[in-house]
Amino acid sequence: MTQTGKLLPLNTVPSGFGESVSISGNSVVVGSLQNSGDIVAYVFEKPVSGWQDMTQTADLNVTDDSF
């Protein structure tokens, strides 16, 4: 098996990046529990050209007081 791409957030890679991963079709969501206690889900969509040209589509933030 060879690596065909690397999923990285647009900003710096946070601690906990990749603690959870969900894949559905051409979408990947990567979870990260931040040091602040916030939860961030990074969303990636596979481009037509493949994962090697991957860019982050969105990030979803949840703070502790949201629960």
Side-chain angles (χ1 to χ4, degrees):
M1 178 181 272
T2 57
Q3 178 177 325
T4 58
K6 193 175 208 177
L7 305 180
L8 295 171
L10 293 174
N11 53 6
T12 59
V13 178
S15 62
F17 182 77
E19 287 183 359
S20 59
V21 176
S22 181
I23 302 170
S24 178
N26 289 328
S27 302
V28 176
V29 178
V30 179
S32 175
L33 178 60
Q34 308 291 294
N35 292 332
S36 63
D38 293 347
I39 299 167
V40 180
Y42 296 90
V43 180
F44 299 89
E45 294 286 335
K46 181 180 177 183
V48 174
S49 59
W51 287 112
Q52 68 276 9
D53 296 323
M54 185 49 253
T55 56
Q56 177 185 332
T57 306
D59 59 35
L60 311 171
N61 295 284
V62 179
T63 58
D64 277 341
D65 56 359
S66 298
F67 296 103

